[in-house]
Amino acid sequence: MSVTTSSTPAGHVAVCAFPFTSHPLALCSLVCRLAEEAPQLHFSFLCTSRANSKISTKTTILPTNIKISDIEDGLPEGFEPEDLAQEASNFYKQFPENFKRGVDAAVEETGGKRVTSLIVDGLFSFDLGNMAEEMNVPWVAFTVPAPYDLAAWLQKDLIQQLYANAQMDHDHPEDQLIDIVPGLPPSPFKDFPHELLERNPSNQLLAQVLLSMIRKIQEASAVVMNSYEELNPLLLTNYLKSKFLNIFYVSSVTPSKLASGTDATRCLSWLDEQKSASVAYISFGTTAPLNGEEVKALAEALEEGGVPFLWSINDKFKEYLPDGFTERIGTRGKLVPWAPQRQVLEHPSIGVHVTHGGYNAVLESIMGGVPMICRSEWADNHLNAKMVEEVWGIGVRVENRLITKTGMLKCLEMILHQEEGKVRQASTALKQVFEKAAGPDGVAANHVKTLLHIISEER
């Protein structure tokens, strides 16, 4: 049910999206939900043309009160970046001014309707939070990574001191356990983001962005977690509530109009021909590719184990597949450059998701009730994998974060054939928790209503 005009006055909300990885689609999903609940609000969604084009291919019809607009990406005309790092570096050099110009253009496009609030990706908290304060409007930070990742960053100084002490006292400090994130079991330092541990990390740009976020995000009118409160430990929820004026849980992963796209690669029709809970779906996201040895080891495990599989793999990594692999596999496996992930994970033939453990991928697996094998790579991936294995009990991690043939065979056997179905039972139970949390009686439904009142406040 939508919020009535009388309870939520009309307004103009500018949405500033981080243009990389899964962030823009996640924020667009949140905005779609808000727009449907409050049709009298107008939302100007601002992001780069490259990111916006990807959103348009992965959505159905947007609510009519959302206007997607492009901002400059910081790249010289005709310049093609070598990689994501170079693209991000150019973007960050100019992004505050580019968003300011985007907001001004949005006002002009709406006939002078002034912006009454901002919703920003949490990574922009410092610069765009300051911009909102200059505009004298409330601002909301949306964080895509997991809640426990934010809890860890809030304790950055303590974690860095503990790690410095461990470096002095131990030969392998990264393996030492600390009990610091409420609700999570003790974790080795290596499970935390590298940028969090080191005072002088190698990725200076990312570290700078994250550190500036932490300095400012607690001043936001509200923080929205890309999660459901019901999925998280109570200790963690209470800890985060103590740190923010308002904290809400409204996940971007929900049965909605934001589908994963069409079945252009005929994945779903191929899955229709497979046995129930028999297929391994393999996808490592856009920023966490395997190395060549791991690609080969994974292929060898799939072949020897006789496991039907659907593998979303970039063409440039196919050169690492064993000679004759595709011919020997035949129709038992399917290699595609892209797959409609949410629809795949909701298909009854999927038995396990082999994943890098990005938070959206984890949530999509939970929504589908699919157990996971996690080969974590960076950022919050390691803590996500820890939650999957040790807290929720809905999957396993590959040994030493490295795929080997014998290790993957062991993981596949454990999930698909052993454990007396314990992991699958846990996955089914957590799916039910997810469905209730995402429904009309979940905490998120009330959080959406409160959030709408905050972004509709007139100052």
Side-chain angles (χ1 to χ4, degrees):
M1 181 181 298
S2 64
V3 178
T4 63
T5 304
S6 60
S7 63
T8 306
H12 183 186
V13 184
V15 183
C16 303
F18 181 74
F20 306 113
T21 65
S22 62
H23 284 236
L25 190 61
L27 184 50
C28 188
S29 177
L30 170 68
V31 173
C32 282
R33 181 165 184 177
L34 297 176
E36 289 173 346
E37 291 281 340
Q40 70 281 359
L41 287 176
H42 179 81
F43 294 85
S44 294
F45 188 92
L46 309 176
C47 200
T48 63
S49 60
R50 187 179 302 221
N52 284 340
S53 65
K54 293 178 181 178
I55 288 174
S56 64
T57 63
K58 294 185 178 182
T59 64
T60 53
I61 299 174
L62 293 172
T64 57
N65 53 333
I66 296 177
K67 172 69 165 61
I68 292 184
S69 300
D70 297 341
I71 64 165
E72 295 178 27
D73 57 15
L75 296 173
E77 187 174 353
F79 177 80
E80 279 296 323
E82 295 179 0
D83 52 27
L84 178 60
Q86 188 179 56
E87 186 177 0
S89 178
N90 280 274
F91 174 79
Y92 266 103
K93 291 175 182 177
Q94 304 177 32
F95 86 88
E97 288 301 321
N98 289 342
F99 274 117
K100 287 179 183 178
R101 285 193 289 268
V103 169
D104 290 342
V107 172
E108 185 176 348
E109 289 174 0
T110 55
K113 190 175 182 63
R114 79 176 188 90
V115 168
T116 52
S117 62
L118 291 184
I119 299 177
V120 307
D121 190 293
L123 294 174
F124 296 146
S125 291
F126 186 81
D127 291 277
L128 299 190
N130 286 334
M131 185 175 82
E133 290 165 5
E134 291 171 4
M135 297 168 62
N136 193 32
V137 298
W139 64 283
V140 174
F142 177 65
T143 65
V144 174
Y148 35 83
D149 181 74
L150 179 58
W153 275 100
L154 290 172
Q155 301 178 84
K156 169 188 67 72
D157 292 339
L158 176 57
I159 292 175
Q160 286 185 350
Q161 184 58 58
L162 291 173
Y163 187 58
N165 294 343
Q167 287 177 310
M168 291 188 292
D169 298 337
H170 301 279
D171 292 334
H172 298 283
E174 68 278 2
D175 294 326
Q176 301 306 306
L177 298 176
I178 56 169
D179 188 0
I180 199 164
V181 178
L184 264 67
S187 305
F189 284 106
K190 64 185 178 183
D191 276 355
F192 294 91
H194 171 72
E195 294 78 17
L196 173 60
L197 296 179
E198 299 285 355
R199 290 192 169 98
N200 295 296
S202 56
N203 191 334
Q204 289 289 339
L205 175 61
L206 180 58
Q208 180 182 348
V209 170
L210 290 165
L211 293 177
S212 66
M213 176 191 76
I214 292 302
R215 288 200 301 268
K216 188 68 178 179
I217 195 169
Q218 287 175 280
E219 299 176 22
S221 305
V223 172
V224 180
M225 306 303 303
N226 177 31
S227 185
Y228 291 108
E229 184 174 307
E230 293 90 333
L231 295 177
N232 293 282
L234 181 59
L235 285 173
L236 175 63
T237 299
N238 289 339
Y239 171 77
L240 290 174
K241 283 181 179 179
S242 74
K243 297 297 180 180
F244 297 99
L245 176 64
N246 292 292
I247 185 164
F248 304 126
Y249 291 78
V250 187
S251 176
S252 64
V253 179
T254 180
S256 70
K257 293 182 180 179
L258 272 180
S260 296
T262 61
D263 189 22
T265 52
R266 300 191 60 79
C267 297
L268 303 179
S269 57
W270 180 83
L271 289 172
D272 288 340
E273 301 171 0
Q274 311 306 312
K275 295 180 180 179
S276 176
S278 66
V279 176
Y281 170 57
I282 304 155
S283 176
F284 293 95
T286 57
T287 59
L290 302 180
N291 62 51
E293 288 298 316
E294 289 182 282
V295 171
K296 180 182 178 182
L298 176 53
E300 290 173 343
L302 293 168
E303 183 173 2
E304 183 170 317
V307 178
F309 65 88
L310 171 62
W311 191 344
S312 179
I313 181 172
N314 190 295
D315 285 342
K316 67 181 180 181
F317 292 103
K318 289 183 179 179
E319 65 180 87
Y320 301 114
L321 296 171
D323 291 339
F325 173 73
T326 54
E327 291 78 11
R328 292 192 299 274
I329 290 298
T331 58
R332 179 164 62 80
K334 187 172 179 64
L335 298 168
V336 296
W338 175 86
Q341 182 157 291
R342 289 194 190 182
Q343 292 150 288
V344 166
L345 289 170
E346 291 179 317
H347 197 284
S349 70
I350 298 296
V352 64
H353 183 192
V354 184
T355 173
H356 66 298
Y359 196 52
N360 271 357
V362 169
L363 290 176
E364 287 168 353
S365 294
I366 292 173
M367 183 169 68
V370 178
M372 283 166 270
I373 297 173
C374 297
R375 190 283 195 193
S376 52
E377 175 65 23
W378 73 312
D380 65 343
N381 294 177
H382 306 312
L383 290 178
N384 295 339
K386 188 177 187 69
M387 284 288 292
V388 164
E389 184 174 53
E390 297 183 33
V391 178
W392 292 320
I394 57 174
V396 295
R397 290 183 282 185
V398 299
E399 189 174 0
N400 298 321
R401 301 179 186 166
L402 189 70
I403 291 177
T404 63
K405 176 182 173 182
T406 55
M408 182 54 64
L409 280 168
K410 179 180 177 182
C411 290
L412 290 169
E413 177 71 15
M414 187 181 303
I415 296 293
L416 295 174
H417 304 298
Q418 294 182 358
E419 290 285 316
E420 299 177 349
K422 291 180 181 178
V423 174
R424 191 163 306 282
Q425 289 173 13
S427 299
T428 299
L430 195 61
K431 177 184 179 181
Q432 294 171 351
V433 174
F434 182 101
E435 289 173 342
K436 184 176 180 180
D441 297 324
V443 171
N446 287 327
H447 283 182
V448 166
K449 294 176 184 177
T450 309
L451 176 60
L452 283 169
H453 285 292
I454 289 174
I455 63 176
S456 304
E457 288 177 350
E458 290 282 352
R459 288 189 178 179

